[in-house]
Each structure stands twice: as structure tokens, then as C-alpha cells.
Amino acid sequence: MTTDPRSAAAGGLQGARCSGCSVTVYPADDTCPRCGGPAAPAVLQGTGTLWTWTVQRYAPKSPPYQAPPGGFAPFALGYVELADDVRVAAVLDVDDLDDIRIGMALSVTAGPGVPRARPTTLSEEGS
């Protein structure tokens, strides 16, 4: 049985690091996208800053999209730059889309599908 490369690893996101050129990638892959060399699993730090973002204001085409019971609601997607020098695409879980700012601190978690990011609290920044 293979592990989903987007799954959460103990202590963080499951990525990979090339043993040759040291590039880090997410999701994990056995081969480096830069040099083609072997890449080993690496747990990535789950915090970073928002690099860029956009708002999805219309429902995706169906199928495969299925609207939730309350209907479609606009949501934000962004790239979070982690300390591991890798950017992770994630859904931004924010209370107000107008509060999103490039450079804001975010905590990223993996799960089925696209990772989710939420603003980092002061207690999380200090840990």
C-alpha cells in the first residue's frame, strides 16, 4: 500500500528533498524535478507566509464539483512560502476575505485533497 504524498507526516507536511541539488518539493516525489536525481522523504515545517493569493468567486464546473449543502461560497486559494524554501498551494481558511494580505503568517495542514492554511495565532508563532 502506498502513502498519499499529500498526507500529513508526524510533525508536519510530507515533502521530499533531493540528495543531489537539495531542492525541496511538495507533494513528496521519489525524483527531483530540477536535476532528476533521487529524492528522500522530508517533513516540512507547517508554518510560513502568504506569497500570493486569489479568490474563487464562482462555482467550478460540475462534474466533478458538487456544491455543499448550503451552496457555493467564495473562497481564497494561495501559495504559502515555508521556511524549507518551498511554496505550497492551499485553501485559505479565513473569516473575512478582505483580511488576507501578502506576507501574513499562516499555519498549513495536509489532508485529503488540497492543504488548508489558516492565520497563525501569536501563541503558535512563539512555539
Side-chain angles (χ1 to χ4, degrees), residues 19-79:
S19 58
C21 69
S22 299
V23 72
T24 303
V25 297
Y26 179 85
D29 199 344
D30 293 335
T31 306
C32 175
R34 181 184 293 162
C35 71
V43 176
L44 306 179
Q45 184 175 345
T47 58
T49 57
L50 186 60
W51 186 71
T52 193
W53 61 281
T54 189
V55 174
Q56 176 79 25
R57 297 194 185 275
Y58 56 91
K61 291 184 178 182
S62 183
Y65 175 76
Q66 294 179 0
F72 174 80
F75 61 95
L77 299 164
Y79 277 101

